[in-house]
Every structure is written in C-alpha cells, then in structure tokens.
Amino acid sequence: MQIKPCCNGVTLYYSGTITVTNMGFQVSPSSDIYSEFDHWVVTGASGLLGANFLRVAAHPKRLLTGIFNKHPLALPGTRTIHADLLCSRQIIDSLDDLKPNVIFHFAAATNVDWCQAHQDEATKMNVDVTHNLVNWAELNGCLFVLMSTDSIFDGVTGAYIETSTPHPCNHYAATKWQAEQIVIDALDEYLVVRANIFGWNAQNKLSLAEWILTKLETKQEIPGFIDTTFAPLLVNTLSGLLIRMVEQGCRGVFHAASTTPISKHEFALETARTFNLSERLVLTAKLEDSELLAPRPLHTWLCADKLAHHLKIDLPTIRQELTQFKRLRDTGYTTTLKYAYKGSVVT
C-alpha cells in the first residue's frame, strides 16, 4: 500500500494493516477515529519506549516519523530521521518540514546516577529540549505527549495519584518534574503520562527485566531490593495505552501502571518463575544499603484508576505483563526488534 508523499517528496510504504495488540493484554485502536493521514512524530525512536511504540503504532492511515540521534534503526511502516534535539534550530527546522499533528516526546537522559553527576547536561536534555518542542507545539496547534516517571515522587507512601504533590529526590526526577511543568503551563492540548516500564530493547542495553533475565540465565546471583515497591508496565502495553489515550481525546496528567504493587525482590522472583529459572539466585537486599550516587525514592507505585476509568479497561497484573514479556521473545518479536537496530553510531 502506498501512502501519498509527506514532506520533502518522501513517500512512505506500508505492508498491510497492523492491528495493535499485545496478546495477553489487548489494546485495540478504533480505526474509525483516525483522521486521514495523521502524522505522529516520536523522539527517542531507538530507545526502549520509542522503538517498541513505533512497532505498535504502525497503521496504514498514520504517518510515523521517529527521530533518533546516535542510534539509527529501521522499522516497517515508519520513517526514521536523524536530528540532534540539543540543536534547537535543527529540530525546529525538522518539525517545520514534518508538520506533525502529534508529538510524542520520549527522548530523555534517564540514567539516574549520570544525571546526578552531570546536572547541567541532564537539564539541557530533559528540560531545555522539552521547552523547545513545547514552543513549536504551541505555535502550531500540535498535541504534545510527554513521557514522565514515577520517580518525581518522594517514595514515602506509594499509591500516588495524579494530584499528589511531587517531591523529587534526585536531579533526574527534578528535571522530569520541570519538564512536566513546562508542558502544563504552556499548552492546552497535552498529555503527561507517568509510568515505570520494562521490556525488550532494540539497542544492546538492558531494561530491568532484561538485566534480571540475563543474570539468571547465566546462573549469576542478583540483589533484589525488599524495601522498594513499584508497579511497572510492559512497554508494549504502555504503547497501546498511549495510542488509545490520543484516539479517545484524553488530555491532562495520567498515571499508567499495573494493578499489583511489587517489590524489586518479588519482581525478580516473578521473572524467575515466568522463565522457569532458579529463584535461589535472587538474594535479599535493601536499596538503602546500596552505594548509588543519586538517592532513590523507595515506594513509587502509581494508582492508575483515572486511566482505567477514562479508557473503560482493566489494567494488567505484573504476572500478566511478565507472561507477555516472555511470549514476545518466544514468538520472535525480540529478534525482529533487534534486527531493526542498525548498530552503528551517528557521529
């Protein structure tokens, strides 16, 4: 199927219709909601969320453009382009050419200890870049979707709702909270979605679940923190939810989370059970005893009742998400995702 030229005479090609599902937990878009040739631009295209989102979001009536900086990739039904988000003129010129009606801003500096040690650089990436993109969205009437984090809360209680007051306890979290405020203060058409995610990376790096699995499959012991709780979502599930939220006109701040708060220790045990690996390799540990540069909040699990109510859905449990995580590998999804990553680094 050929779609008409988009910008600069580029024509996109799609091979059939892709139904958005994530198997165990199904999130199906309503095709009659699509405007003719929606154009969605996704920053952080080669990241954990970006690459998986582009796989899930591909649809014949949607133009997708993924923006990457150093890590190129190629995905079916998606055009990817290189742009340095830190170069404001370059990204503004790119957006002027692309003319999207939705921007999904997923790119961020997310290594918590790196952000703590390189605060100026982290602020430029997480705050200044957001400001530039928001300015363009405001001038062009574009819906802006910001991916945020459960880490903006102090972690004292857990069970945070959208109106809970953020109290960041490290520089990474502070920059994400600043980015949220930029979006909320400047725009009417926005979504800020807070979550904690895991899944399969296109790049050669590991999410928490991948790290746990890699260690356990090579029979290495790992620490499992018993003094932290979170409620993560599989990145494929979150991708489907983001699509539904945009389609159904959700606006404002939303939490996206699984229904079962769990400690990092129990999460590692559940991963071992899901993949039939030894639970004895998961050792009991405490985050407060770890020697990490940046302080971490302990209990960051989010309450996502607002999202479930708006979308009229039941959100998944951790066990369902880990089962789906395994199924994606068993069915070859991870192989095709890794194949999309070109492995070279743009300099």
Side-chain angles (χ1 to χ4, degrees):
M1 178 184 212
Q2 180 175 318
I3 303 300
K4 64 184 180 181
C6 152
C7 67
N8 297 328
V10 175
T11 301
L12 301 186
Y13 291 86
Y14 293 83
S15 55
T17 300
I18 300 176
T19 301
V20 179
T21 65
N22 76 340
M23 299 161 73
F25 178 65
Q26 185 165 327
V27 182
S28 300
S30 304
S31 59
D32 59 337
I33 300 177
Y34 294 114
S35 62
E36 192 70 9
F37 305 120
D38 277 345
H39 189 183
W40 292 3
V41 164
V42 178
T43 70
S46 57
L48 174 61
L49 178 55
N52 284 279
F53 179 85
L54 289 169
R55 281 291 307 271
V56 173
H59 189 280
K61 287 193 175 182
R62 183 185 295 130
L63 302 179
L64 289 174
T65 300
I67 297 176
F68 67 88
N69 184 16
K70 293 185 177 296
H71 304 284
L73 78 166
L75 292 163
T78 299
R79 175 181 47 180
T80 55
I81 64 171
H82 171 259
D84 183 355
L85 296 180
L86 292 171
C87 180
S88 58
R89 186 69 262 164
Q90 184 182 51
I91 189 60
I92 294 304
D93 287 345
S94 296
L95 291 173
D96 285 342
D97 285 342
L98 294 167
K99 297 178 174 60
N101 59 333
V102 185
I103 295 173
F104 293 84
H105 184 33
F106 298 156
T110 59
N111 184 305
V112 177
D113 288 335
W114 184 90
C115 289
Q116 198 72 13
H118 303 85
Q119 296 192 8
D120 289 344
E121 295 98 316
T123 298
K124 288 176 183 177
M125 184 64 208
N126 293 349
V127 180
D128 296 350
V129 167
T130 301
H131 190 267
N132 291 335
L133 294 173
V134 165
N135 282 343
W136 190 93
E138 183 180 18
L139 290 171
N140 291 274
C142 175
L143 172 62
F144 193 87
V145 182
L146 175 70
M147 195 64 227
S148 192
T149 173
D150 59 353
S151 295
I152 64 169
F153 298 107
D154 56 19
V156 173
T157 62
Y160 295 105
I161 61 174
E162 287 79 0
T163 55
S164 298
T165 303
H167 290 288
C169 67
N170 55 57
H171 190 70
Y172 162 69
T175 63
K176 296 301 289 183
W177 172 226
Q178 286 179 266
E180 286 192 19
Q181 292 174 292
I182 289 169
V183 173
I184 293 168
D185 290 345
L187 301 175
D188 294 322
E189 289 292 298
Y190 72 87
L191 270 172
V192 171
V193 182
R194 300 168 181 154
N196 189 303
I197 57 175
F198 69 96
W200 298 106
N201 268 290
Q203 296 182 46
N204 296 320
K205 58 182 183 179
L206 303 175
S207 69
L208 175 62
E210 289 174 295
W211 176 80
I212 292 170
L213 186 59
T214 298
K215 294 292 187 180
L216 296 182
E217 288 186 327
T218 54
K219 297 181 171 32
Q220 298 181 61
E221 294 179 337
I222 60 170
F225 297 134
I226 61 173
D227 56 346
T228 64
T229 51
F230 69 147
L233 280 174
L234 182 65
V235 69
N236 305 73
T237 298
L238 178 61
S239 297
L241 291 171
L242 289 169
I243 294 167
R244 282 280 294 273
M245 293 170 76
V246 170
E247 286 181 345
Q248 296 189 14
C250 295
R251 299 292 185 268
V253 179
F254 284 84
H255 289 176
S258 57
T259 59
T260 45
I262 192 171
S263 70
K264 297 289 178 69
H265 180 262
E266 186 59 30
F267 182 79
L269 291 175
E270 280 288 350
T271 303
R273 294 175 195 129
T274 301
F275 286 85
N276 196 28
L277 299 168
S278 174
E279 297 177 38
R280 290 178 293 182
L281 294 171
V282 181
L283 307 180
T284 299
K286 287 189 175 182
L287 179 60
E288 65 181 10
D289 296 331
S290 63
E291 297 181 358
L292 298 170
L293 176 62
R296 265 75 163 177
L298 294 179
H299 306 290
T300 59
W301 62 279
L302 304 175
C303 174
D305 290 349
K306 176 183 174 182
L307 177 61
H309 174 74
H310 271 70
L311 297 185
K312 297 180 172 57
I313 59 171
D314 294 320
L315 290 165
T317 66
I318 287 290
R319 183 166 295 177
Q320 288 174 315
E321 293 290 79
L322 284 169
T323 298
Q324 173 61 3
F325 179 65
K326 181 177 184 296
R327 188 179 292 123
L328 288 171
R329 187 174 75 166
D330 292 346
T331 56
Y333 174 89
T334 56
T335 300
T336 58
L337 187 66
K338 296 287 186 185
Y339 182 76
Y341 175 54
K342 295 307 177 185
S344 57
V345 175
V346 176
T347 58

